[in-house]
Amino acid sequence: MQDNLAQIPGRIKELREIMEISAMDMAADIDVPYETYSRYESGELDIPISVLYKVANRLETDTTVLLTGEDPRMDTAGVCRAGKGVQIERYPGYEFSSLAYNFKGRTMEPLLVSLDPNKKTAAPVTHSGQEFNYVLEGVVKVTVNKREYLLEAGDSIYFNALLPHAQSAVKVPSKFITIIQE
């Protein structure tokens, strides 16, 4: 997937240019400082998943197109076999696997997230919509607006994603399902 990661900024730039949107306008449209956006598009800075959603929305495309270079194909049902989701590591120790990448017109984004407790915790993020996390394995610390929740396998949390939030594994590798609705 590292090859795909390296190609994301180029896909964004190409689609932006096709749509005749300046880099400055794109930065303003997705509410990111121009200097930061410029570093995303040049590949100097990793693009947070929440920003990928904003970019895809502004470019009137699916996040799958940005991640893989391919359009989703399914419109009745999309099956994702075990271990076959589109994987992307956005932050050290924080790996996403898109579980519905091949379904057209998604209104929510289900992701399998694997966390490594030995890696640095990602900074809190915000994005529009709501988010649901369901812990499958391990213990996950979910921080929402500075309040911490320790969740074990079988526990879940639903929250307003406009609030700063982050997840981290506690002592052991952990996995959870997150469903993000923009």
Side-chain angles (χ1 to χ4, degrees):
M1 187 60 188
Q2 292 302 321
D3 291 339
N4 278 341
L5 283 177
Q7 294 173 5
I8 293 170
R11 288 188 193 107
I12 291 170
K13 182 176 181 179
E14 180 180 22
L15 288 171
R16 179 183 58 73
E17 289 175 346
I18 288 169
M19 294 186 71
E20 298 180 344
I21 301 168
S22 72
M24 190 159 293
D25 286 343
M26 176 63 94
D29 292 346
I30 64 169
D31 197 29
V32 170
Y34 172 74
E35 295 76 21
T36 302
Y37 178 79
S38 177
R39 293 181 67 204
Y40 289 153
E41 198 172 275
S42 71
E44 292 175 49
L45 194 61
D46 280 341
I47 306 169
I49 197 83
S50 57
V51 172
L52 283 175
Y53 293 135
K54 289 179 183 179
V55 169
N57 185 50
R58 178 61 184 96
L59 294 174
E60 300 173 16
T61 193
D62 193 283
T63 52
T64 299
V65 172
L66 300 180
L67 293 173
T68 68
E70 297 180 18
D71 284 313
R73 295 180 181 90
M74 308 310 292
D75 58 10
T76 303
V79 174
C80 180
R81 301 289 180 199
K84 300 295 182 184
V86 172
Q87 296 191 357
I88 183 168
E89 185 178 325
R90 297 307 310 156
Y91 311 103
Y94 200 95
E95 185 178 290
F96 297 93
S97 181
S98 177
L99 302 176
Y101 66 94
N102 209 14
F103 192 84
K104 293 184 209 175
R106 290 184 308 283
T107 58
M108 65 180 110
E109 190 70 41
L111 302 162
L112 174 62
V113 182
S114 299
L115 299 171
D116 183 341
N118 299 314
K119 303 285 178 148
K120 181 181 173 192
T121 302
V125 298
T126 62
H127 53 84
S128 62
Q130 300 170 343
E131 186 167 332
F132 172 78
N133 297 169
Y134 179 85
V135 178
L136 299 170
E137 299 174 8
V139 179
V140 177
K141 179 174 72 174
V142 180
T143 305
V144 180
N145 206 26
K146 298 183 183 177
R147 182 159 181 206
E148 294 179 353
Y149 304 87
L150 287 180
L151 304 178
E152 297 179 4
D155 293 343
S156 64
I157 187 170
Y158 191 101
F159 56 90
N160 178 346
L162 288 171
L163 299 172
H165 59 280
Q167 298 88 354
S168 59
V170 178
K171 297 184 182 176
V172 296
S174 302
K175 288 186 181 182
F176 68 96
I177 297 288
T178 187
I179 300 172
I180 300 171
Q181 186 165 26
E182 292 285 323

